[in-house]
């Protein structure tokens, strides 16, 4: 596959490249088996008219116009379709990276320079993109279809992000819930909750399901009895838990700003009337002691 690009500075040319998948699928693959004798169960290609099994050489493509009306399309006819980008990645425009809606991005590929002749033009285009805030919009053909892609940079390599065509993006308006009323306290609580859950990056996350599945397979392969993985109890009333966490985050945000935090503990006092008396004589130390002990019995924050 070659990569044809628009002029960069005063240079124009063709870059031979290879398309390599940038991601890997580590899913565990299962086979369908006959439980009685552990034999593998396979899919058979059977014609629904005569019930006979057919080979791959006997299978072609067809488009169903209507029921009982299928138009056959041969591989030769598909090969003759006009695809100007069938053997090239053609850069057709440059756009600001931030102008691309992430929902339009799909499968990601690395572009590898194919041979020494491609090294210089490949590096030239990469350097140009690296020093610019632009990304290259390109057209190319893959699996019998013309595709739209976005060229960007990762380390010392160029990356091709497959893009969905505009008519492939669904309108999310119909998916939005009915309007609800929110007060500023709830929004402030949500923002405070976001702060408490903030991370610098997401590199520390692991697929715990896959870890447990691999342990299960390893144990059974060694003839051991697999131990049940530890699972967290499912919590009910998630909306209530969330609102409780938001409310607690609001109080925490107020304390961090130096605001009076009495509202956060007043509901835990035995009586609200006595709490209102801020300046009383000898009994106030006892009330403060009670107020300090009360939070120790609360459930730990789940936010």
């Amino acid at each position: 596959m070659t990569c044809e690009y628009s002029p960069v500075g005063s240079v124009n040319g063709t870059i031979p490249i290879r398309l390599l998948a940038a991601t890997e699928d580590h899913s565990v693959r299962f086979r369908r088996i006959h439980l009685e004798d552990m034999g593998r169960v396979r899919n058979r290609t059977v014609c629904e008219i005569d019930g006979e099994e057919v080979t791959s050489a006997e299978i072609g493509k067809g488009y169903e116009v209507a029921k009982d009306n299928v138009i056959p399309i041969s591989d030769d006819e598909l090969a003759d379709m006009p695809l100007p980008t069938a053997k090239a990645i053609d850069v057709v425009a440059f756009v600001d990276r931030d102008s691309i809606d992430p929902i339009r991005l799909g499968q990601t590929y690395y572009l590898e320079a194919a041979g020494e002749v491609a090294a210089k033009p490949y590096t030239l285009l990469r350097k140009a993109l690296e020093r610019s805030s632009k990304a290259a919009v390109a057209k190319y053909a893959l699996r019998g279809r013309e595709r739209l892609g976005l060229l960007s940079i990762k380390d010392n390599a160029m990356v091709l992000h497959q893009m969905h065509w505009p008519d492939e993006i669904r309108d999310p308006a119909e998916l939005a819930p009915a309007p609800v009323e929110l007060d500023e306290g709830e929004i402030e609580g949500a923002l405070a909750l976001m702060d408490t859950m903030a991370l610098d990056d997401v590199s520390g996350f692991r697929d715990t399901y896959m870890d447990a599945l691999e342990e299960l397979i390893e144990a059974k392969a060694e003839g051991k009895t697999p131990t049940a993985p530890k699972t967290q109890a499912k919590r009910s009333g998630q909306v209530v838990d969330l609102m409780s966490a938001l409310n607690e985050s609001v109080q925490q945000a107020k304390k961090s700003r130096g605001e009076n935090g009495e509202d956060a503990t007043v509901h835990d006092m035995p009586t609200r009337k006595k709490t209102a008396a801020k300046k009383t004589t000898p009994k106030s130390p006892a009330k403060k002691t009670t107020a300090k002990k009360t939070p120790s019995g609360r459930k730990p924050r789940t936010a």
Side-chain angles (χ1 to χ4, degrees):
M1 179 177 287
T2 60
C3 174
E4 297 180 357
Y5 61 95
S6 300
V8 179
S10 60
V11 181
N12 192 6
T14 301
I15 308 174
I17 57 96
R18 284 188 290 268
L19 206 63
L20 306 174
T23 58
E24 296 178 344
D25 185 0
H26 292 166
S27 300
V28 173
R29 305 296 181 183
F30 293 107
R31 291 181 175 180
R32 295 190 303 166
I33 59 173
H34 184 197
L35 294 176
E36 184 177 339
D37 54 17
M38 305 301 291
R40 184 174 178 180
V41 178
R42 299 178 181 271
N43 291 325
R44 297 175 59 214
T45 51
V46 178
C47 176
E48 64 178 18
I49 295 177
D50 57 22
E52 296 293 329
E53 186 171 358
V54 295
T55 65
S56 58
E58 298 174 290
I59 299 175
K61 298 180 178 66
Y63 181 81
E64 186 175 301
V65 179
K67 188 176 181 180
D68 300 327
N69 185 10
V70 178
I71 299 176
I73 303 294
S74 69
D75 290 338
D76 290 338
E77 289 171 327
L78 292 175
D80 291 337
M81 296 296 293
L83 277 178
T85 58
K87 296 182 180 179
I89 295 178
D90 300 323
V91 175
V92 295
F94 291 90
V95 298
D96 290 332
R97 296 189 190 115
D98 296 338
S99 68
I100 301 299
D101 186 349
I103 200 171
R104 292 196 60 182
L105 301 181
Q107 181 69 45
T108 304
Y109 300 92
Y110 288 131
L111 300 183
E112 180 186 32
E116 294 183 4
V117 67
K120 185 171 183 177
Y122 182 100
T123 305
L124 176 59
L125 179 57
R126 180 181 60 79
K127 285 288 187 183
L129 290 173
E130 191 177 53
R131 297 188 184 184
S132 170
S133 61
K134 304 289 186 181
V137 178
K139 284 187 176 183
Y140 64 103
L142 184 65
R143 300 187 183 96
R145 281 193 58 190
E146 186 173 61
R147 313 274 182 171
L148 193 65
L150 192 73
L151 288 176
S152 63
I153 301 300
K154 180 174 176 56
D155 299 331
N156 291 325
M158 281 195 294
V159 179
L160 173 67
H161 307 273
Q162 181 178 316
M163 293 181 66
H164 297 288
W165 295 99
D167 61 354
E168 294 177 328
I169 306 300
R170 293 180 58 191
D171 184 359
E174 60 186 29
L175 307 177
V180 296
E181 292 185 2
L182 295 173
D183 58 44
E184 285 301 317
E186 291 172 320
I187 299 175
E188 185 179 1
L191 293 173
L193 182 61
M194 291 169 61
D195 289 338
T196 62
M197 298 176 67
L199 294 175
D200 293 332
D201 63 76
V202 295
S203 59
F205 287 102
R206 286 187 58 84
D207 187 346
T208 55
Y209 173 82
M210 187 60 62
D211 291 341
L213 183 58
E214 290 176 352
E215 291 176 5
L216 171 65
I217 294 173
E218 183 178 356
K220 298 196 72 171
E222 295 175 357
K224 300 178 181 178
T225 302
T227 57
K230 296 179 180 180
T231 57
Q232 296 180 350
K234 294 183 179 179
R235 295 185 299 173
S236 60
Q238 293 181 355
V239 175
V240 176
D241 290 343
L242 175 60
M243 294 307 297
S244 176
L246 291 177
N247 180 64
E248 190 174 351
S249 296
V250 171
Q251 305 305 332
Q252 186 65 32
K254 288 182 178 179
K255 289 181 181 179
S256 66
R257 293 195 299 268
E259 298 180 13
N260 193 337
E262 289 182 358
D263 293 339
T265 56
V266 109
H267 62 282
D268 290 324
M269 299 294 289
T271 59
R272 298 175 66 91
K273 292 182 179 180
K274 292 183 180 181
T275 307
K278 296 182 180 178
K279 293 183 179 180
T280 49
T281 44
K283 293 184 179 180
S284 40
K287 291 181 180 179
K288 290 182 180 178
T289 303
T290 306
K292 291 180 181 179
K293 289 182 180 179
T294 302
S296 64
R298 294 181 187 172
K299 295 180 180 180
R301 292 177 59 185
T302 57

